[in-house]
Amino acid sequence: MSLFGVRKNRRRPDREERISALRRVGIGLGRFFLALGLLAAGLGGTWAGGRAALRWVTTSPTFAIGTLSVEGNHRVSADAVRAASGLAVGQNVFRADLEGAKRELEKIPWIRHAQLTRVLPRTVAIRVEERQPVAQVALGTLYLVDEEGELFKRASPADGVDLPVITGLSRDRFESDRAAMAPELGQALELLAEVSRRKLPELSEIHLDDDLGLTAYLADGATAIELGWGD
């Protein structure tokens, strides 16, 4: 009896421990699958909520463009800048193609650089940097050139500029070998910059000649100064 009793007391705790262990495993698995389900539900809710939020910000009148502000323009009117950008009042500020608008604005000859910024909730700010013409270049017709030596547009009376004229450049040579002529044009522009810095008498023309170099004509129409090439 004592032996039977010992065996009986040993088996009962073993069986209870196994049952308890199984219960713990079951509870752990239950908690795991519950957490997994909640996570899946949460992710689904987040995705759905994100879609709803995106739909709201891209369609709500709250974010409809009400103002297209323009800064930095002098030659190009603000209305012309707005029109060229392709943006319009009423468009969604988030759907507005700012990169596309930038490309279109920089096609305008006067505009060197454009920057567009969303100012929430209803504004797109447009800032442009315009080119500054420093002379006219005679190539069969007159072209405006900026301080970097770029001929950016054909000159017209509407431009309202009164600038010295750089003559002596061949249009055919300029179009076929522009890089080779760039140093000559550069020297003429350096001369104009020096005249401006030193507040010397204004020039009306700078003539370029392969042999004689630069000849400067003063605005008085009676004085010519042969400067040659180089410093």
Side-chain angles (χ1 to χ4, degrees):
M1 292 294 295
S2 60
L3 181 60
F4 180 79
V6 170
R7 288 179 180 176
K8 183 176 181 180
N9 292 337
R10 181 181 298 171
R11 287 176 181 175
R12 181 174 297 174
D14 290 345
R15 185 168 57 251
E16 289 177 352
E17 288 178 3
R18 287 196 298 271
I19 292 172
S20 177
L22 288 174
R23 285 176 179 172
R24 288 195 299 271
V25 171
I27 292 171
L29 288 174
R31 289 175 177 173
F32 171 76
F33 285 114
L34 176 60
L36 187 62
L38 291 174
L39 176 61
L43 289 176
T46 301
W47 180 73
R51 287 189 61 189
L54 178 62
R55 183 167 57 251
W56 178 70
V57 299
T58 55
T59 59
S60 171
T62 302
F63 299 106
I65 296 174
T67 303
L68 290 167
S69 65
V70 180
E71 296 180 353
N73 61 305
H74 302 285
R75 297 282 183 177
V76 186
S77 70
D79 287 342
V81 170
R82 294 185 186 100
S85 73
L87 305 177
V89 170
Q91 290 180 332
N92 182 269
V93 71
F94 291 105
R95 291 185 179 274
D97 183 5
L98 302 193
E99 284 300 317
K102 172 184 169 67
R103 289 192 297 269
E104 292 303 314
L105 287 171
E106 292 177 352
K107 290 178 182 178
I108 298 175
W110 282 108
I111 295 179
R112 182 195 303 278
H113 176 70
Q115 180 180 0
L116 293 91
T117 307
R118 293 180 179 87
V119 183
L120 299 180
R122 302 187 63 205
T123 297
V124 173
I126 304 173
R127 182 166 187 81
V128 298
E129 177 189 344
E130 293 184 337
R131 302 180 189 277
Q132 300 301 320
V134 295
Q136 303 175 86
V137 179
L139 292 170
T141 187
L142 292 177
Y143 291 86
L144 297 181
V145 61
D146 64 16
E147 68 277 7
E148 295 182 358
E150 183 172 350
L151 279 68
F152 61 92
K153 77 178 294 290
R154 182 176 294 186
S156 73
D159 296 327
V161 298
D162 183 17
L163 297 169
V165 179
I166 298 173
T167 60
L169 294 175
S170 162
R171 183 182 182 90
D172 291 340
R173 183 184 170 200
F174 187 81
E175 291 180 346
S176 63
D177 196 4
R178 183 173 301 188
M181 297 187 70
E184 299 174 16
L185 180 58
Q187 287 197 40
L189 296 178
E190 287 178 11
L191 174 58
L192 288 173
E194 186 71 11
V195 167
S196 177
R197 280 194 297 269
R198 293 176 179 267
K199 302 186 184 305
L200 299 174
E202 292 183 2
L203 304 181
S204 62
E205 179 185 346
I206 298 176
H207 184 74
L208 305 177
D209 183 88
D210 290 342
D211 297 323
L212 298 178
L214 280 65
T215 300
Y217 294 87
L218 271 61
D220 62 15
T223 307
I225 305 173
E226 295 182 359
L227 299 170
W229 294 117
D231 188 0

